[in-house]
Every structure is written in structure tokens, then in C-alpha cells.
């Protein structure tokens, strides 16, 4: 909190909720009008005040004092919509305006007072411009700090620099806008802001809490925060119009380079660099073309020119729509080209690589893939993004090259093997089950046998991967954001091949009977042989499971309940199986 309040100019529109009702809904503000919220008056017109109506009255009491009263319900959205033209009119005179609330906005007084000939001249100019542009009456107050300027605006007063504390000293404590605190202060014998400001700050904090301490600062002429004004964004877009339509690739390449250099110079003037570029073109027949290019580094002038040239080449060399996957050829030449820097950041905002800038091989690959996208479309080149989910198919999302690599499902990628906390089973605990190999290079190193699943087996703990476990990720600010736990997720390592369509399989025990998993996850017998489709039976040398997954049980149409197993075969292969509705399926293959 700054100890020296900023010199502030605040514009205030009296009875704004009433005036907004007139602007939006056509309610005459010259009539007795009140705006009600929670059955109490929060604003009233001048005619209503002449009838004895004040803020805080109940609806019945207000109608009793003025039977022909017009009642309007409070609508914050209406107040904001009606006030936006007023703010825009103020921004035509001064830069950097902060909206305090509908009906009041503030700006730093130093700038307007310098180029408009003083604080009084600036106040008169703003009030006059708002009246001419919006037909709205307003008052301006200038003081040290937003709070004091708001009180000065109600009187149309300019408080001299350094005189804010004396200006506030005689004001009643109700001016703080905290009815409960004002009532308590009056019962304690504190009636003015000067008396309240004279109290020790430590005692005020101990007695009235943090909000009371903020009110104590305001009473002493010290704001709780500086102005947070809106800075109008700079117009970085560059546009070129052509008298002769551009329909040849060589002419388009020349136009692209010239326009790219203009854009790069404009960005450099603001100390910015482009990371996402929008290319817009308009043909002579009014056809509009648009494409957005993304880059993981800083787009230089040459890189911008290359992407514009590639995109124009893709548009102008497109197919005529009779077969092929390329986009259709424009109906006429391009008469307008526009480059929009859709994503910008400070030019020093990206960290270079360990050995300098991006390597030549990576840049060549990026240029080649971007070139393919310009010809065939953004969906022609995709990359995989890891995310959350319970099955391998859910944890991978394909996104177009250059797009943001955001996972479809929240959650971290699969945990390292040490985090899965497998519970190894002793071979003696379940005589019907062979031990699973767990060598460093074995595909079954993470297979966790579930002891006690077979009928008659000894009781032992059941290992369910990530059940109820919550992980987290570190943000740039150092805070840990909780991730979804995804109970039932298979432990690492992840399978190398995820089948797009699971293959039907048949799993039988040593006696040749089908292996069945009951609703209580009891396995009828140890799996011994696996047959995938019409192939040959293969011997199962090790297995782990079942791991239950019961998803979207609250939506019957989307509900899915299944149990998964990991199995090792005699030929060294490792598979991820799932049984759903009595049918066995092969979902993925381990490498």
C-alpha cells in the first residue's frame, strides 16, 4: 500500500441506476422513480427525494410517501451497459480510465491537468464532453486518492494537493460506506472521519479487523490501492490493399515479404514478438479466407514472410474441388491481405536453448511440417499429447502441429514405476498362480498379482493402482495444483501399442474352461491359455489383476464397467486385457 495517494480525477453521475433505467428501459427520470433491491430503495430521482423518499426506505413506506411512485427493479447488467458509452466518452479525452462502479470512473489527474491547462480546465472539459456525447449530467471531483475524490465529486469540488486529510476530517463516519462499522463507531463516540483517523492503527486493527483497518486508512486520506486503469491495446495489425487482384504465387510471395517486414517493424517498436499469426485474405468476389499459424519460438520477419507465402501458395494453388484433399481454389484473386498478431509477448520472454537458439535441424523440421499444413490443412500433421485417464487410449490426444499441447483429460502423465507402489505377492500365498517375472528388462516388471482373487486362496491385500491417490503439478509461481486422482489407472510402464479397436479374445483355465470374473471381482480360475481372434492358443505364464473400472455410472447411456488384466505369454509378449460384459478384449500390447 502506497503511503502517498495518487492525485485522482473522478467522474460521478448522480442517481445513475435511475438514469440507466431511463436510457435502457425508457423510464422517465424526471418523474418520481425509485430503484429497489431486496425490497429497499437504493437510488431515487430528484422528484422522489422532494416527496421525502431516501435511500434505505422499504418499498411500502416509500409508496406511502408518494402514491404515484414508479418502482424499478435493480439490474446491475443494465447499469453497466448504459455506463459503457460514458466511459468511452471519457477515454476520448483522457487515457487510462478505471471504472469504480456503474456511474463512477476515475483516472490519474496529472496527465489531463498538464495537457488541458490545469485540473479545473480538465474537469470542465470532461463534464462538457460527456454531456455533448451522451446527454448525461456528471460531476467531477479531484483529490488525493480515489475515496476522497469520490466524496469531492458529490460536491463538484477540487481539493488542493495536501489538503485531503482536512477535507475528510469533518465528514461523518457514514461516508465510509460501511453501515455496521459506522453504527459501532457512533456507539463508541466516534462520529467523524477525523476522530476515527486519530485512533492508533494497531488498536483499530485489533478491535475492528482487517476491514476496519482499511477504513481507517481511507479516513486518514490514504488509499488502500493505486488506480488499476485500463490501457487501450495498441493496434498491431497491418493491412495491404491491391488494385490488381493477386492470383499468382510469385506476386503473392512479394506481397507477403513486404507486409511481413511492416508487421515485424511495428512489433519491434513496442518491444514485442509474435508467437501466433493470423493471416486473412479477401478476394475480389468478397470471399474471406482465414488461417492461424502458431510457432513455439519467436517469429522473425523471415519466418512471418515464409508462413504468409506458404499460406497464399496453399490458397492460390488449391484444387478445384473435384476430388483430392486440397482446399478449393479461390473464385478470384486476392485484393486485401491482413496480418493479425494473435499472440504476442515481450521479445525477451522466451528462454533460448542450452546451446543458443533453436537448432537448425529442428527449425528445418518445423518449416517442413508447417509447409505441409499450409498445403493440406492443419489436421494433416498431428502430434501426441499425454494427459489423464484410466486406460491408455484415454491418456493420449492428437493435436495439430503448432497448436497448444493441452491434454483432453486433466491429470499428469503416468507415474514412474516407484510411485505405483506395487504389492508383490508371495508364490506360496496362492498355489493356483505362477509367480510373475520381475526382472529389470522384463515386460512384466510392473505386473502386480492380486493375491486372494481365486476361490479358496489365502487372504492378502489387494493392490489397486492409484486408488484414491492424488497427485499434483508445480506451477510457475511454485503453487501445487491438485490433479484428478484417476483411481483404477493401470500402473507403469505404459503399453507401447494401443489398438484403435480392441481385438476379441478367449481366455481359458488349465482345464479348458472359460475364465469368468464375477461382480465381486472374483476370478473363477487362474488364466492359462489365451486365443486372440482366430489365432492359435498361447500359454499364459504370468498375469496380474483384476483392476476394476466403473466409469460414468450416473449416466446409464454412457456407463461402462470392466475389469483389466496384464498377462505374459510364453513367447515373451505382454498384453493388456479387459473383460466387459463377459467378453475378453485385447486393448494394448507391451514392448
Amino acid at each position: 500500500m502506497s503511503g502517498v495517494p495518487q492525485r485522482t480525477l473522478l467522474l460521478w453521475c448522480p442517481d445513475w441506476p435511475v438514469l440507466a433505467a431511463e436510457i435502457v428501459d425508457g423510464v422517465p427520470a424526471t418523474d418520481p422513480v425509485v430503484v429497489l433491491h431486496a425490497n429497499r430503495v437504493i437510488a431515487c430521482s430528484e422528484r422522489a427525494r422532494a416527496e421525502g423518499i431516501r435511500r434505505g426506505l422499504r418499498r411500502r413506506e416509500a409508496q406511502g410517501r408518494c402514491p404515484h411512485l414508479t418502482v424499478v427493479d435493480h439490474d446491475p447488467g443494465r447499469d453497466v451497459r448504459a455506463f459503457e458509452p460514458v466511459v468511452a466518452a471519457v477515454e476520448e479525452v483522457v487515457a487510462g480510465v478505471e471504472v469504480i462502479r456503474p456511474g463512477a470512473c476515475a483516472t490519474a489527474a496529472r496527465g489531463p491537468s498538464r495537457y488541458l491547462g490545469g485540473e479545473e480546465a480538465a474537469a470542465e472539459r470532461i463534464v462538457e464532453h460527456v454531456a455533448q456525447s451522451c446527454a448525461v449530467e456528471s460531476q467531477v471531483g479531484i483529490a488525493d486518492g480515489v475515496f476522497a475524490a469520490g466524496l469531492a465529486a458529490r460536491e463538484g469540488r477540487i481539493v488542493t494537493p495536501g489538503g485531503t486529510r482536512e477535507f475528510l476530517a469533518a465528514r461523518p463516519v457514514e461516508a465510509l460506506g460501511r453501515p455496521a462499522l459506522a453504527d459501532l463507531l457512533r456507539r463508541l463516540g466516534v462520529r467523524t472521519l477525523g476522530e476515527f483517523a486519530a485512533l492508533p492503527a494497531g488498536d483499530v486493527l485489533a478491535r475492528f479487523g482487517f476491514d476496519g483497518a482499511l477504513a481507517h486508512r481511507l479516513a486518514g486520506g490514504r488509499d488502500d490501492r493505486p488506480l488499476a486503469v485500463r490501457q487501450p491495446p495498441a493496434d498491431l495489425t497491418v493491412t495491404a490493399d491491391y488494385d490488381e487482384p493477386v492470383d499468382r504465387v510469385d506476386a503473392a510471395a512479394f506481397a507477403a515479404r513486404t507486409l511481413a517486414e511492416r508487421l515485424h517493424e511495428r512489433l519491434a517498436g513496442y518491444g514485442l514478438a509474435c508467437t501466433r499469426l493470423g493471416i486473412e485474405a479477401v478476394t475480389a468476389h468478397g470471399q474471406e479466407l482465414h488461417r492461424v499459424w502458431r510457432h513455439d519460438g519467436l517469429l522473425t520477419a523471415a519466418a512471418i514472410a515464409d508462413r504468409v507465402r506458404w499460406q497464399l501458395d496453399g490458397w492460390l494453388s488449391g484444387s478445384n474441388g473435384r476430388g483430392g484433399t486440397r482446399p478449393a481454389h479461390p473464385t478470384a484473386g486476392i485484393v486485401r491481405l491482413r496480418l493479425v498478431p494473435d499472440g504476442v509477448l515481450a521479445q525477451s520472454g522466451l528462454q533460448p536453448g542450452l546451446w543458443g537458439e533453436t537448432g537448425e535441424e529442428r527449425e528445418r523440421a518445423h518449416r517442413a511440417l508447417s509447409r505441409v499444413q499450409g498445403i493440406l490443412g492443419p489436421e494433416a500433421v498431428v502430434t501426441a499429447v499425454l494427459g489423464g485417464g484410466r486406460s491408455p487410449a484415454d491418456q493420449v490426444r492428437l493435436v495439430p502441429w503448432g497448436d497448444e499441447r493441452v491434454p483432453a483429460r486433466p491429470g499428469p502423465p503416468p507415474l514412474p514405476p516407484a510411485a505405483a507402489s506395487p504389492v508383490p505377492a508371495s508364490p506360496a500365498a496362492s498355489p493356483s498362480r505362477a509367480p510373475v517375472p520381475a526382472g529389470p528388462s522384463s515386460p512384466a516388471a510392473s505386473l502386480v498379482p492380486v493375491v486372494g482373487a481365486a476361490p479358496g486362496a489365502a487372504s492378502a491385500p489387494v493392490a489397486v493402482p492409484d486408488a484414491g491417490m492424488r497427485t499434483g503439478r508445480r506451477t510457475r509461481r511454485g503453487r501445487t495444483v491438485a490433479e484428478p486422482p484417476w483411481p483404477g489407472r493401470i500402473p507403469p510402464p505404459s503399453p507401447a501399442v494401443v489398438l484403435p479397436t480392441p481385438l476379441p479374445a478367449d481366455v481359458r483355465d488349465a482345464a479348458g474352461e472359460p475364465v469368468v470374473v464375477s461382480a465381486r471381482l472374483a476370478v473363477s480360475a487362474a488364466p492359462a491359455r489365451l486365443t486372440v481372434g482366430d489365432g492359435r492358443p498361447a500359454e499364459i505364464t504370468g498375469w496380474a489383476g483384476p483392476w476394476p473400472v466403473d466409469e460414468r455410472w450416473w449416466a446409464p447411456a454412457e456407463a461402462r464397467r470392466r475389469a483389466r488384466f496384464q498377462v505374459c505369454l510364453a513367447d515373451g509378449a505382454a498384453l493388456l486385457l479387459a473383460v466387459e460384459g463377459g467378453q475378453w478384449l485385447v486393448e494394448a500390447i507391451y514392448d
Side-chain angles (χ1 to χ4, degrees):
M1 298 182 181
S2 175
V4 180
Q6 183 180 17
R7 193 71 175 162
T8 304
L9 182 151
L10 188 141
L11 179 134
W12 173 65
C13 300
D15 306 328
W16 181 254
V18 176
L19 193 57
E22 180 183 39
I23 295 173
V24 178
D25 299 333
V27 179
T30 55
D31 295 344
V33 180
V34 295
V35 179
L36 297 181
H37 178 62
N39 207 34
R40 288 188 180 273
V41 177
I42 63 171
C44 55
S45 63
E46 186 176 356
R47 283 278 305 275
R49 282 193 295 271
E51 298 287 343
I53 297 175
R54 297 293 183 267
R55 294 176 58 185
L57 289 181
R58 293 187 177 274
R59 175 173 184 161
R60 181 172 298 179
E61 185 178 357
Q63 291 178 332
R65 296 185 181 185
C66 182
H68 53 283
L69 188 66
T70 302
V71 177
V72 179
D73 291 331
H74 178 50
D75 185 358
R78 177 187 61 207
D79 297 348
V80 173
R81 291 193 303 271
F83 192 58
E84 179 58 28
V86 177
V87 179
V90 175
E91 283 191 329
E92 293 176 359
V93 180
V94 298
V97 178
E98 176 185 355
V99 178
I100 307 299
R101 62 182 180 278
C105 60
T107 184
R110 180 181 179 183
S113 64
R114 295 178 113 184
Y115 60 77
L116 292 178
E119 293 180 345
E120 184 175 355
E124 294 177 354
R125 175 71 178 276
I126 292 174
V127 170
E128 181 181 2
H129 185 71
V130 170
Q132 293 177 352
S133 302
C134 308
V136 171
E137 294 184 0
S138 60
Q139 298 178 187
V140 167
I142 301 178
D144 299 335
V146 178
F147 174 69
L151 297 180
R154 296 179 179 273
E155 303 175 4
R157 180 175 173 180
I158 298 177
V159 181
T160 58
T164 299
R165 190 179 181 92
E166 291 74 17
F167 168 73
L168 296 174
R171 307 284 161 179
V173 291
E174 285 78 9
L176 292 170
R178 294 166 169 84
L181 177 62
D183 180 68
L184 178 58
L185 290 175
R186 281 198 170 273
R187 287 189 279 115
L188 294 175
V190 180
R191 292 177 170 79
T192 64
L193 296 183
E195 295 174 353
F196 184 40
L199 298 177
D203 296 342
V204 172
L205 177 62
R207 177 62 179 84
F208 302 105
F210 184 69
D211 185 68
L214 291 179
H216 183 259
R217 289 182 59 86
L218 297 179
R222 296 170 295 169
D223 269 1
D224 57 339
R225 63 171 181 83
L227 282 174
V229 298
R230 184 186 76 87
Q231 298 295 338
D235 185 12
L236 304 174
T237 303
V238 294
T239 306
D241 296 323
Y242 308 104
D243 297 332
E244 295 293 332
V246 177
D247 53 4
R248 300 195 324 271
V249 176
D250 56 346
F254 178 78
R257 181 163 298 278
T258 303
L259 202 60
E261 292 176 355
R262 286 177 50 194
L263 176 62
H264 189 265
E265 291 177 0
R266 180 167 297 185
L267 291 173
Y270 289 94
L272 301 174
C274 181
T275 60
R276 193 168 59 249
L277 175 67
I279 304 174
E280 300 176 358
V282 180
T283 67
H285 292 170
Q287 182 182 4
E288 296 183 0
L289 307 173
H290 179 74
R291 182 75 71 202
V292 176
W293 288 74
R294 188 187 300 272
H295 185 55
D296 59 352
L298 298 178
L299 287 173
T300 61
I304 295 175
D306 287 342
R307 281 151 182 80
V308 177
R309 176 171 53 85
W310 295 337
Q311 189 59 60
L312 294 177
D313 187 11
W315 281 334
L316 298 176
S317 303
S319 66
N320 55 9
R322 294 175 293 182
T325 59
R326 302 176 67 183
H329 192 285
T331 58
I334 295 174
V335 296
R336 175 176 297 172
L337 185 61
R338 190 165 179 251
L339 302 184
V340 182
D342 192 30
V344 295
L345 65 140
Q347 196 159 6
S348 59
L350 286 182
Q351 180 72 21
L354 183 61
W355 293 278
E357 299 298 331
T358 306
E360 181 181 356
E361 294 80 5
R362 182 180 177 184
E363 182 64 23
R364 287 177 57 190
H366 184 85
R367 288 165 62 92
L369 295 177
S370 300
R371 169 73 166 159
V372 174
Q373 281 186 316
I375 298 175
L376 302 181
E379 302 295 336
V381 182
V382 294
T383 58
V385 179
L386 295 179
R390 294 181 175 85
S391 65
D394 296 336
Q395 296 173 6
V396 178
R397 171 177 176 250
L398 298 179
V399 299
W401 173 263
D403 283 6
E404 290 186 86
R405 299 173 57 81
V406 179
R409 296 169 180 257
L415 297 174
S421 301
V423 182
S426 172
S430 178
S432 62
R433 181 170 311 177
V436 179
S441 61
S442 171
S446 68
L447 305 186
V448 185
V450 181
V451 182
S459 176
V462 179
V464 179
D466 298 341
M469 181 169 59
R470 182 170 297 275
T471 60
R473 59 181 174 86
R474 303 286 295 181
T475 63
R476 291 185 177 182
R477 295 179 180 269
R479 296 182 292 108
T480 300
V481 181
E483 300 286 1
W486 295 113
R489 184 179 59 172
I490 62 172
S494 300
V497 178
V498 180
L499 302 177
T501 303
L503 301 176
D506 181 44
V507 180
R508 296 184 178 270
D509 57 15
E513 296 296 328
V515 177
V516 179
V517 181
S518 69
R520 293 182 177 272
L521 301 177
V523 184
S524 61
R529 285 187 298 275
L530 170 68
T531 303
V532 180
D534 299 332
R536 287 180 155 188
E539 182 182 355
I540 298 177
T541 59
W543 61 280
W547 294 320
V549 177
D550 191 1
E551 294 181 302
R552 303 191 66 83
W553 48 265
W554 60 88
E558 304 174 9
R560 189 179 184 188
R561 191 169 187 266
R562 65 191 188 278
R564 292 176 300 185
F565 291 78
Q566 290 173 322
V567 298
C568 279
L569 305 182
D571 58 0
L575 306 177
L576 177 65
L577 306 181
V579 56
E580 182 175 1
Q583 174 65 49
W584 287 86
L585 301 170
V586 179
E587 289 189 338
I589 303 173
Y590 290 91
D591 189 1

